[in-house]
Amino acid sequence: MTTSPLRRLLLLRHAKAARPQGTADHERPLSARGRRDAQAAGRLLVMTDWLPDLVLCSTARRTRETWELAATELAGLPPVRNEPRLYHPAVPELLAVVHVVPAYVSTLLVVGHNPSLRDTILTVAGDGIGEKIPQVQEKFPTAAIAVLTWHGTWGQLGPRTALLTGLAVARGDRRRA
């Protein structure tokens, strides 16, 4: 009897973005707090051993900056693909991107936006450890990371197929700036 491989989908909401007047939403940069929190997200990924084999990142400036700063905290860098379909997709579109991830990837990190990430968590999590699902229902803040785990293929991820096993919010220290 063979067991299906364990998969982990990490969903990282971009860190706090600035709102410069006259700047299109897609081009909004991170704020000073966002830059600190993005680096803290990288430290959190290392500390919790939530290290991805592949990163899929929205093409928005704030998501790319979040990943670039988080990645500075990692010893080795996984391949990164900037994916236009991750800029504010509905849940089916986000899952369509995940469904075609190569089989060799055990842990995938998606860097994206709300409400897409929050809605995806609440759709695919059949259950969660502790109070994680009610916490996500209440709020999935900037620089939050959720971990969804299941046995199977990327194409099998769908409604209520995963367990929400991890949830953390990265916050940087003002003194480190």
Side-chain angles (χ1 to χ4, degrees):
M1 181 170 127
T2 58
T3 304
S4 297
L6 179 68
R7 304 286 182 198
R8 288 191 309 181
L9 173 61
L10 311 174
L11 298 174
L12 168 59
R13 183 176 175 199
H14 65 78
K16 185 78 174 168
R19 295 188 182 273
Q21 190 170 357
T23 301
D25 181 70
H26 192 271
E27 298 308 315
R28 289 175 46 213
L30 292 181
S31 66
R33 176 184 137 195
R35 296 180 67 75
R36 290 190 304 271
D37 291 352
Q39 286 185 291
R43 289 191 295 277
L44 181 61
L45 290 170
V46 171
M47 182 178 68
T48 55
D49 197 28
W50 294 342
L51 301 174
D53 302 314
L54 175 66
V55 176
L56 300 179
C57 187
S58 161
T59 55
R61 180 176 173 184
R62 60 191 176 274
T63 53
R64 289 180 288 117
E65 287 180 358
T66 296
W67 174 246
E68 289 164 7
L69 289 165
T72 64
E73 302 294 326
L74 279 63
L77 294 179
V80 179
R81 219 173 63 212
N82 292 322
E83 176 56 65
R85 294 177 294 168
L86 292 176
Y87 181 64
H88 295 297
V91 173
E93 286 77 28
L94 190 146
L95 289 177
V97 172
V98 171
H99 286 165
V100 296
V101 167
Y104 70 86
V105 175
S106 295
T107 301
L108 172 67
L109 172 65
V110 171
V111 186
H113 311 266
N114 260 359
S116 303
L117 296 182
R118 178 184 171 277
D119 292 349
T120 299
I121 295 163
L122 296 175
T123 298
V124 303
D127 201 356
I129 295 175
E131 294 296 312
K132 290 177 178 48
I133 290 178
Q135 289 171 345
V136 171
Q137 287 171 329
E138 183 179 322
K139 187 174 186 180
F140 191 63
T142 56
I145 304 170
V147 183
L148 295 155
T149 307
W150 75 100
H151 285 278
T153 66
W154 293 107
Q156 291 171 325
L157 182 63
R160 304 183 56 78
T161 57
L163 179 66
L164 180 58
T165 57
L167 181 64
V169 179
R171 291 294 180 246
D173 185 343
R174 287 179 179 253
R175 294 170 291 191
R176 292 185 88 154

